[in-house]
Amino acid sequence: MRKLIRSLYVFFLEGIKMCRSFILLRFSVPKVKNSLDTIDYILQNKCSVSRFGDGEFLIMQGWHIGFQKEDIALFVRLQEIIRSEFPGHIVCLPNVFNGLNIYTDKARIFWKRHLLHNYVIWHKYINTRKLYYDTQISRFYIDRKDKTQSHLIIDKLKQIWNFRDVILVEGEKSRMGYGNDLFSNVSSLKRILCPSENAFSAYSQILEEVSKVDKSRLILIALGPTATVLAYDLSKQGYQAIDIGHLDVEYEWFLQSALDKCIIKNKYVNEVDNREVSDLSDPEYQDQVISVIK
């Protein structure tokens, strides 16, 4: 029985490889820089960053994800931004189109299935003449096969906000950097708290509030697909705004040497079953909050 199951599994994987080869022969593959090259580009150019992952892809198909319901306006904006070529702003895609060797077995299986079913649709939206950068700069640990490289990525990422005045735009219970040293090298840190779920419903308020901030400040955003749009719109206003997604969560798992996605105390993690997070009364944290958008 075990031999039969193994044979069926191998047959399944070979089928995926054949289908992927057929797709890639028929359609050109997007050019996506790796994580370290992406971070180097951000450091050298102080550009803004919008990231697209499987969640943004689902929204562009008219679907919903765990913390963002379907929204026609968000659907339209994401389709606009993925093809955009605004100076001082880069668009990131998952670095999965030219091979999956850098990922764990679990991550490889996920992306193989995703590409098998969805690559033709990705191709519909991407600009194959455009150079893209790596969405996975924020996914530097848990899905990586060689975790010895993770410290190189996070050390380089920290250089982006080194001695910068930083505004964190995040879900109200994301609490990026709380309880760890992710932002210990900034000059100052303030927070604008937004809804943890369906943040795009409050998009006009969020954009208006962040636009009050001095343009010399670095804006770091963790708001799911809303962050993809916000980073683009803020870039057009003259800010450096970076969608950093799950970076703080990945950093927590990195510090714990975790092998699987798990609950993080005091923080909302959308990729675990239990998303309940208690209120936080820490005076230092509360002092960082300059605005709360409901």
Side-chain angles (χ1 to χ4, degrees), residues 38-253:
T38 297
I39 301 167
D40 281 338
Y41 187 88
I42 297 168
L43 286 167
Q44 292 164 11
N45 296 277
K46 290 191 174 181
C47 57
S48 293
V49 180
S50 291
R51 297 167 45 259
F52 285 78
D54 60 296
E56 286 73 24
F57 175 82
L58 288 172
I59 295 290
M60 287 193 296
Q61 296 305 299
W63 294 86
H64 67 275
I65 55 178
F67 55 94
Q68 177 60 60
K69 63 184 180 182
E70 61 273 20
D71 187 302
I72 188 64
L74 179 55
F75 164 92
V76 170
R77 292 305 313 279
L78 290 173
Q79 290 192 20
E80 168 198 353
I81 294 164
I82 199 169
R83 300 187 184 99
S84 65
E85 297 194 43
F86 185 75
H89 172 269
I90 61 173
V91 176
C92 296
L93 298 181
N95 186 16
V96 296
F97 299 103
N98 286 289
L100 300 168
N101 292 334
I102 67 171
Y103 300 109
T104 62
D105 290 344
K106 185 184 292 187
R108 281 203 304 273
I109 290 170
F110 170 83
W111 283 112
K112 281 178 180 178
R113 289 174 177 167
H114 179 87
L115 291 173
L116 175 62
H117 292 290
N118 299 301
Y119 184 74
V120 174
I121 308 173
W122 272 109
H123 193 272
K124 170 183 172 184
Y125 294 121
I126 58 178
N127 177 356
T128 54
R129 297 184 302 277
K130 178 181 174 65
L131 178 62
Y132 289 97
Y133 295 83
D134 189 11
T135 284
Q136 256 79 345
I137 56 173
S138 66
R139 301 279 194 169
F140 69 95
Y141 174 74
I142 203 75
D143 286 339
R144 305 269 177 161
K145 181 169 62 177
D146 181 6
K147 298 188 188 308
T148 62
Q149 298 295 305
S150 298
H151 75 280
L152 297 174
I153 298 173
I154 191 61
D155 288 349
K156 199 174 277 282
L157 278 166
K158 287 182 178 182
Q159 294 177 33
I160 295 172
W161 47 83
N162 196 39
F163 297 115
R164 297 286 300 272
D165 294 309
V166 171
I167 302 291
L168 300 179
V169 184
E170 59 179 351
E172 61 181 333
K173 294 187 177 179
S174 296
R175 298 163 183 168
M176 290 190 293
Y178 179 76
N180 62 47
D181 65 347
L182 183 59
F183 302 115
S184 62
N185 59 329
V186 303
S187 290
S188 67
L189 183 69
K190 296 296 181 183
R191 301 174 187 268
I192 295 175
L193 304 187
C194 307
S196 293
E197 298 185 355
N198 301 315
F200 198 75
S201 298
Y203 186 73
S204 59
Q205 294 171 263
I206 296 170
L207 179 60
E208 181 181 359
E209 193 64 30
V210 182
S211 297
K212 297 174 184 177
V213 171
D214 189 276
K215 287 184 171 61
S216 64
R217 297 198 173 194
L218 173 65
I219 314 296
L220 300 179
I221 315 164
L223 277 178
T226 300
T228 306
V229 180
L230 185 60
Y232 179 71
D233 287 345
L234 290 173
S235 178
K236 293 177 78 172
Q237 291 186 22
Y239 291 93
Q240 184 184 13
I242 300 176
D243 166 13
I244 63 170
H246 291 78
L247 179 61
D248 178 69
V249 171
E250 285 278 326
Y251 190 56
E252 290 279 5
W253 291 333

